[in-house]
Amino acid sequence: GYQKGVLAFEKILEKALELGERCSNPECPGACYQCMFDYNNQMIHPMLDRHLGTAVLIYLLRGGVPSVSREQAERTAAGFIEYARAGYKILSPSTVAGHYFPVILEDNTGQKTALWVIHPLQEKPTSQERAAVAAAGLRPAIHSTFDLERRPFWVLNHLIQP
């Protein structure tokens, strides 16, 4: 009955995780025509991301809490910087109050904004964490890897989040 159904569902989730963790395309950014894209789902291609799906499955199956590594934050910020360069001076990465910021943006008034990169499934930093960064003279702009990669212009228009 119930126990058998739970075990069957768990096997399905494990298989989905196995499929989501690999793609035959070594250049796959998280979704491509070799793993997720096809003609029938072309309208949602910008939203598909097998890495995000596997993070959900890892959380469900193993309790793994998603996070962003320093390398992921740098890689994500690198693409975003090219869009931000037109309106901001790009400053070097920095660690402030124990948090790594892959880029600091300075506007024409001298205001410095720290790009705080988080996983889409990760909780936003607490008000105390944000206050510690603000105390160092930086305005924290908290954005997910998903938004930075898929919606960089939206991020530019929403750099400061409460």
Side-chain angles (χ1 to χ4, degrees):
Y2 175 78
Q3 187 68 19
K4 198 176 205 180
V6 169
L7 291 175
F9 185 62
E10 188 173 337
K11 284 183 181 180
I12 292 168
L13 294 178
E14 288 286 353
K15 184 62 175 179
L17 178 58
E18 177 188 327
L19 293 170
E21 287 181 322
R22 60 181 160 79
C23 175
S24 59
N25 175 6
E27 301 295 319
C28 179
C32 71
Y33 279 99
Q34 293 180 20
C35 65
M36 292 187 75
F37 292 171
D38 68 27
Y39 180 76
N40 293 320
N41 67 11
Q42 67 182 343
M43 295 299 288
I44 61 169
H45 283 184
M47 304 308 284
L48 296 176
D49 186 336
R50 65 185 170 78
H51 299 299
L52 186 53
T54 58
V56 169
L57 292 169
I58 289 169
Y59 177 76
L60 290 173
L61 293 166
R62 303 188 183 121
V65 177
S67 63
V68 175
S69 71
R70 183 178 179 139
E71 293 76 24
Q72 289 171 310
E74 289 170 352
R75 189 173 52 250
T76 301
F80 174 74
I81 286 170
E82 297 312 311
Y83 298 108
R85 193 176 302 283
Y88 295 90
K89 181 178 178 183
I90 308 301
L91 305 179
S92 298
S94 185
T95 299
V96 177
H99 299 285
Y100 177 71
F101 302 99
V103 65
I104 308 294
L105 305 170
E106 185 176 349
D107 66 18
N108 58 7
T109 69
Q111 175 64 58
K112 295 177 183 170
T113 301
L115 184 62
W116 199 326
V117 182
I118 64 172
H119 190 278
L121 301 176
Q122 187 177 358
E123 286 186 63
K124 287 192 175 186
T126 65
S127 57
Q128 292 86 3
E129 289 173 313
R130 292 191 308 267
V133 172
L138 299 171
R139 295 175 74 180
I142 305 155
H143 293 283
S144 74
T145 55
F146 186 89
D147 286 337
L148 287 161
E149 292 169 351
R150 308 287 174 100
R151 310 185 319 161
F153 292 111
W154 180 89
V155 171
L156 276 175
N157 289 326
H158 297 88
L159 273 176
I160 308 304
Q161 297 240 335

